[in-house]
Amino acid sequence: MKARALLALGTLGAIALLSGCGAVAPLQAWGLIKAADTAGTTAMAYAPGKAVNTVHHGEPVMSSLCIEYNRMTPLEDLVPALQLELREQGVASRVYESGSGQQECRYWLRYAVTIEWGTPPLSSGYRAYLSSAALSLHHANGSLMASSAYAVDSDYGTSKWSTTRRKLAPVVKAVITGFTS
């Protein structure tokens, strides 16, 4: 939201300069407009993600859980991002292959993600980015405790180029605590 306000403010200031309200030449003012647009677009593209479609059944926060490793997810920073955010919520975690570690774990975190490719602002090369993620928290018997998801904002793509951790932070918080803000 702050990025949009900065973009609007920068653009309005540049328009005022173009209209003769300032001492800056029109070409310099046009450069200011382009710079404000680039800065605003870049800031918007790196905004944090937000949790959507959260369901939480009021379970208390656990002290530890196990993460079921999903081999179908080729993002190398995904599991470390999950573990760091769990630690921020006071939850220790261990990672296990699907089907292993059943006796050691009372709670399981499972995830599914979608990865897309694109070119970040001010860059010329393609790179993969997390475009959606779904997390679900289960008891050892498989019953669902909580679930939440992340998806790139379809209007402006405000979190598209944020780090995986910034995208997942509100989703992890929502799954663990039930709070989405």
Side-chain angles (χ1 to χ4, degrees):
M1 195 54 105
K2 290 180 183 179
R4 289 185 203 151
L6 288 173
L7 177 62
L9 185 60
T11 303
L12 287 174
I15 289 170
L17 290 173
L18 279 176
S19 67
C21 294
V24 178
L27 287 177
Q28 290 171 323
W30 181 246
L32 287 172
I33 289 173
K34 288 175 29 180
D37 179 55
T38 300
T41 301
T42 301
M44 282 175 41
Y46 288 94
K50 68 178 188 173
V52 296
N53 302 327
T54 299
V55 174
H56 194 275
H57 296 289
E59 300 271 349
V61 175
M62 70 284 310
S63 60
S64 67
L65 59 77
C66 296
I67 299 172
E68 185 175 273
Y69 182 68
N70 182 346
R71 289 199 170 276
M72 302 302 291
T73 305
L75 261 182
E76 60 191 39
D77 65 339
L78 182 78
V79 172
L82 284 172
Q83 289 188 295
L84 287 169
E85 286 307 316
L86 285 165
R87 193 173 309 134
E88 285 289 319
Q89 297 301 317
V91 180
S93 64
R94 294 174 292 175
V95 181
Y96 288 97
E97 290 284 337
S98 179
S100 66
Q102 298 294 340
Q103 288 74 26
E104 294 95 30
C105 302
R106 291 182 53 193
Y107 308 105
W108 284 89
L109 180 68
R110 295 182 174 101
Y111 59 91
V113 302
T114 304
I115 297 167
E116 294 185 20
W117 288 82
T119 305
L122 307 174
S123 177
S124 59
Y126 279 91
R127 88 166 215 234
Y129 64 91
L130 179 70
S131 62
S132 67
L135 304 180
S136 59
L137 186 61
H138 302 263
H139 285 283
N141 68 6
S143 63
L144 182 68
M145 298 169 62
S147 65
S148 191
Y150 158 81
V152 171
D153 180 342
S154 60
D155 294 334
Y156 299 104
T158 56
S159 63
K160 184 175 182 177
W161 296 109
S162 289
T163 65
T164 300
R165 184 174 177 190
R166 280 180 58 103
K167 291 176 182 179
L168 292 177
V171 182
V172 170
K173 181 179 179 183
V175 165
I176 298 299
T177 66
F179 297 112
T180 59
S181 56

